[in-house]
Amino acid sequence: MDKVDSMLINLLQENARYPLKQLASKVFLSAPAVSSRIDKLEKRGIITGYNTTLDIQKLGYHITAFISLELTAKQKDEFYPFVRDCPNVLECNCVTGDYSMLIKVAFPSTQELDMFIGHLQGFGNTSTQIVFSTPVPHREIRI
């Protein structure tokens, strides 16, 4: 990966819908050359997809929370499919510390969050933090 690839990645993270012609003018290459570079970055697994950023509050998901879950290694085979199938789970990470899982969720109400936590407690103890505000929203790494 060279400087041009890094510039392309940063531009695509800024706006994945930039036209090839606009990307090409910013990195001083032709549109076909830019297209070829993007294809190579995708094939190498550096670019894994393109996403739309949503305002989940406007979609009715007013509660965002982080749930820590104690989970034994033996439970992972049952837990992973469960958590993957939950549409309200935005992210799930295996972490170090007192709890082994850190789960980011979004729900329309605290009642629905409470029901989900009840299901999680079938796997182990939980600790939940509800988000009041997000001064630094999700962002991509700058190359």
Side-chain angles (χ1 to χ4, degrees):
M1 195 164 86
D2 62 13
K3 185 178 177 183
V4 173
D5 289 337
S6 296
M7 289 171 59
L8 281 172
I9 289 169
N10 288 333
L11 288 165
L12 288 169
Q13 288 182 135
E14 180 182 304
N15 182 354
R17 295 188 64 172
Y18 276 139
L20 282 175
K21 190 174 182 178
Q22 190 172 357
L23 291 170
S25 71
K26 291 181 182 272
V27 298
F28 308 105
L29 292 175
S30 68
V34 167
S35 178
S36 174
R37 282 178 174 262
I38 291 170
D39 286 344
K40 288 177 185 172
L41 290 166
E42 290 171 351
K43 286 181 179 136
R44 289 174 52 201
I46 294 170
I47 296 176
T48 60
Y50 300 88
N51 299 303
T52 301
T53 304
L54 302 174
D55 183 333
I56 62 173
Q57 293 268 326
K58 289 181 181 174
L59 294 172
Y61 293 85
H62 302 288
I63 307 297
T64 300
F66 289 91
I67 305 167
S68 298
L69 171 67
E70 278 185 63
L71 189 71
T72 65
K74 293 178 183 176
Q75 293 172 296
K76 288 181 180 180
D77 287 342
E78 182 183 352
F79 173 74
Y80 286 166
F82 166 78
V83 77
R84 279 187 198 108
D85 289 341
C86 295
N88 297 82
V89 173
L90 304 177
E91 191 173 316
C92 180
N93 299 281
C94 187
V95 297
T96 62
D98 294 335
Y99 294 89
S100 55
M101 293 292 156
L102 180 62
I103 308 161
K104 182 179 180 182
V105 297
F107 284 93
S109 68
T110 53
Q111 292 83 4
E112 290 170 89
L113 172 62
D114 184 41
M115 286 177 34
F116 178 72
I117 291 169
H119 292 297
L120 284 180
Q121 289 172 336
F123 292 100
N125 293 328
T126 62
S127 175
T128 303
Q129 295 80 41
I130 293 177
V131 175
F132 287 143
S133 66
T134 306
V136 179
H138 175 81
R139 60 183 173 196
E140 300 297 332
I141 198 84
R142 298 300 289 178
I143 307 293

